[in-house]
Amino acid sequence: MTTTIAPGSTRAYVKLAKLDIVDYYLGVLVVWALLAPALRLDGGVLATMAVFLVGEVFVIVAMVALDDLTGYRDGSDVANYAPDAPARKLNRKPLVAGTLTEPQVLRFALLTALVGAVVWLGALAIAPHRPLWTVVLVAVTYFFALQYSWGVKLSYHGFQEFFLAALGWALVLAPYGLVAGELDGVVVVQALIFGLGPLLFGVYSNTNDVAGDRQVGRPTVAALTSPRGNMLFVRAVSACELLLILALPLVGGPWWFPLALLPTILLRFRQLHVGFGAGDILWARRIGIDIHRVTVVTLVVVNLVVR
């Protein structure tokens, strides 16, 4: 298949890094808005959050590069992206498209992982607070991000869906702990809501990729269950998000919080209909990305009003 990206080019590495998928990185906006007003413009707080975000980008880039390498080697990416995938989509997988080689991808992943570790250590060094739980959470997040589909290959042992949510939870709770030193119920519940966002478009990707995942023994819920079982699982996760939204007033949030999140609730019902009613899984995935971004904007605005 012809590609418009030159082999070994900077653009090929940008595609490998998936820098257009910013959804985990949006957690820093939620963290910033959750802070007390006096902390939002504090120099030490802003510096810590900026350094943490830079490290986060490098760690996630390393994670997705290793995921692509494993998916290419086991054949799942070839099954899911070729031979009849459009060129635009195929270019998102440089190994399948032939724009990068395995050694190039591995070197890139190891380099970005190393930079991510150094930068996160820098964030810990300059942070206003370093409670032990936060330091442990940063270390655990780093370790398991690189083990997602490399090393112990968490996503190949039945932990893929949990990891997608847990990564989002950690990327809110860890930086908040570094700049605030403690948590409250509102922070925890909003972190849980945030983490379910990437999961609720990731499960639609898994539904689309079920054939390739089954072929290589990657045990996602979609691959392990029937179409009905997978639909019920996605519905259950969506219901968990709704329950968290309804629960936030019970832990100190404003009584009108569920009303503010009404767009998220309504769009989630639409996503379920498009994906499992109309059968357009990839469009439902796109809706899930939009829902997550709408949710982040809403959380930021609500927090700026009430915190």
Side-chain angles (χ1 to χ4, degrees):
M1 178 174 289
T2 302
T3 179
T4 58
I5 298 179
S9 66
T10 299
R11 191 178 173 201
Y13 284 103
V14 170
K15 289 292 185 182
L16 177 67
K18 311 293 189 294
L19 293 176
D20 57 320
I21 302 299
V22 300
D23 300 277
Y24 281 119
Y25 309 142
L26 298 178
V28 295
L29 297 177
V30 177
V31 171
W32 177 78
L34 280 166
L35 294 172
L39 294 178
R40 289 175 187 153
L41 297 179
D42 179 86
V45 167
L46 293 176
T48 299
M49 291 180 61
V51 174
F52 186 91
L53 176 60
V54 172
E56 178 182 332
V57 171
F58 277 100
V59 171
I60 291 179
V61 165
M63 179 185 78
V64 299
L66 290 172
D67 185 57
D68 274 16
L69 183 58
T70 298
Y72 178 73
R73 286 178 171 176
D74 68 20
S76 60
D77 279 353
V78 174
N80 292 329
Y81 285 82
D84 56 352
R88 179 185 60 82
K89 182 179 179 181
L90 185 61
N91 282 334
R92 294 184 59 78
K93 295 290 183 177
L95 284 166
V96 180
T99 55
L100 291 174
T101 65
E102 290 186 46
Q104 286 174 321
V105 170
L106 181 57
R107 285 194 297 269
F108 178 77
L110 295 178
L111 177 61
T112 51
L114 177 61
V115 173
V118 172
V119 175
W120 266 0
L121 287 173
L124 290 172
I126 67 172
H129 304 277
R130 283 183 294 275
L132 180 59
W133 66 266
T134 305
V135 176
V136 171
L137 182 58
V138 171
V140 168
T141 301
Y142 179 82
F143 175 79
F144 284 111
L146 300 184
Q147 302 298 312
Y148 172 66
S149 55
W150 188 260
V152 301
K153 297 184 179 180
L154 289 174
S155 64
Y156 286 73
H157 296 285
F159 294 97
Q160 199 249 29
E161 290 84 4
F162 175 78
F163 176 87
L164 291 177
L167 182 60
W169 302 336
L171 294 176
V172 171
L173 296 176
Y176 188 88
L178 291 176
V179 296
E182 58 185 5
L183 301 174
D184 60 35
V186 171
V187 174
V188 172
V189 171
Q190 290 197 25
L192 295 175
I193 293 172
F194 178 85
L196 289 182
L199 174 59
L200 280 168
F201 59 80
V203 288
Y204 288 88
S205 294
N206 290 347
T207 302
N208 183 68
D209 295 345
V210 64
D213 288 338
R214 283 176 176 166
Q215 177 180 310
V216 301
R218 194 173 195 177
T220 66
V221 171
L224 291 173
T225 64
S226 66
R228 176 173 172 77
N230 180 55
M231 177 188 68
L232 292 175
F233 171 73
V234 176
R235 285 181 177 178
V237 177
S238 301
C240 287
E241 180 188 57
L242 175 59
L243 291 175
L244 287 167
I245 291 171
L246 296 176
L248 197 131
L250 303 178
V251 296
W255 65 267
W256 44 266
F257 181 81
L259 295 177
L261 267 289
L262 191 59
T264 293
I265 296 170
L266 295 177
L267 285 169
R268 196 65 76 191
F269 280 109
R270 172 169 170 73
Q271 182 189 25
L272 285 167
H273 172 72
V274 169
F276 296 102
D280 194 338
I281 292 297
L282 289 180
W283 180 239
R285 177 188 182 275
R286 178 65 249 184
I287 293 172
I289 295 173
D290 293 337
I291 293 171
H292 180 63
R293 296 174 184 181
V294 167
T295 302
V296 168
V297 171
T298 306
L299 291 176
V300 169
V301 171
V302 169
N303 290 328
L304 291 177
V305 170
V306 303
R307 296 289 282 186

